Amino acid sequence: MSWLSVVVVAVWAMLPAYVPNNAAVLAGGGRPIDGGRTLGGARALGDGKTWRGTAAGTAAGVGLALILDRIGPTVAAVIGVDVPGFPLLAALALAFGAMVGDIAASFIKRRLDRERGAPVPGLDQLDFVVGALALAALFVPTWFADTFTPGVLLVVVLLTPLLHLSTNAIAYGLGLKDEPY
Ligand code: CTP
Ligand code: MG
């Protein structure tokens, strides 16, 4: 595979894990998952992790995966890159895994006494990648191994922080997000 094909496959495979965060920003609000509970003085997760945001994020990721799965063969024929399909379980693992990774990062951030919205470089950009890949590896191991070859994984890890930072900067510019990261 050419390096460009690897990049295309990496972005395509990760799109269902990329949109949940953005959908959560748009749809978030309402009751926080931790219900306001604290743990050792700090909030367990914080007001930035809500049931509605998590459900909307997961639904958006799964919905996108199902669309990509349908248009994949046509896109592959047009651009000549063998983009992966998304079995339902893979769609769920990527989308929900992204939300779980982001929630786990908030848990860690609160234990480190970082307020809601405080940046933790690295963690903020890769938490959802780790969550999505971990759940995919766990629940759809064969699909995971076929899709995320070492080259694709490398591109995902290098490219995701850049994509994440640029979309968040746009969301901030549009007034949808409180911080540009
Ligand atoms: N959001 C949500 N539910 C989630 C994730 C995000 O409702 N599971 C919404 C919240 O409104 C949140 C916004 O999306 O404020 C931005 O998400 P994020 O940057 O992950 O949260 P922060 O507010 O920065 O909080 P934290 O410090 O815990 O990451
Ligand atoms: Mg944040």
Side-chain angles (χ1 to χ4, degrees):
M1 252 201 299
S2 75
W3 66 269
L4 190 58
S5 307
V6 176
V7 171
V8 170
V9 168
V11 172
W12 182 276
M14 285 303 285
L15 272 172
Y18 289 155
V19 288
N21 279 291
N22 302 302
V25 172
L26 295 177
R31 192 174 146 75
I33 294 171
D34 67 8
R37 276 182 286 273
T38 56
L39 206 73
R43 284 285 294 276
L45 300 172
D47 284 332
K49 303 297 116 132
T50 67
W51 290 108
R52 198 166 80 204
T54 307
T58 304
V62 170
L64 178 63
L66 298 183
I67 293 170
L68 293 178
D69 187 69
R70 284 212 52 166
I71 65 172
T74 310
V75 173
V78 172
I79 66 175
V81 177
D82 198 9
V83 290
F86 297 94
L88 183 59
L89 203 54
L92 271 167
L94 289 173
F96 186 59
M99 292 278 86
V100 169
D102 177 58
I103 291 167
S106 289
F107 180 82
I108 294 169
K109 285 162 79 173
R110 298 302 92 80
R111 306 287 74 72
L112 297 172
D113 281 326
R114 301 293 207 291
E115 296 295 325
R116 170 191 181 181
V120 178
L123 191 64
D124 285 327
Q125 284 74 44
L126 287 171
D127 52 14
F128 62 100
V129 174
V130 173
L133 294 179
L135 288 210
L138 203 62
F139 290 108
V140 277
T142 308
W143 179 85
F144 176 84
D146 288 346
T147 307
F148 293 99
T149 58
V152 171
L153 274 179
L154 182 68
V155 170
V156 166
V157 170
L158 295 178
L159 200 64
T160 302
L162 292 177
L163 288 172
H164 187 245
L165 284 171
S166 39
T167 49
N168 281 353
I170 293 168
Y172 174 75
L174 294 172
L176 298 170
K177 211 172 172 303
D178 293 338
E179 311 88 23
Y181 40 79

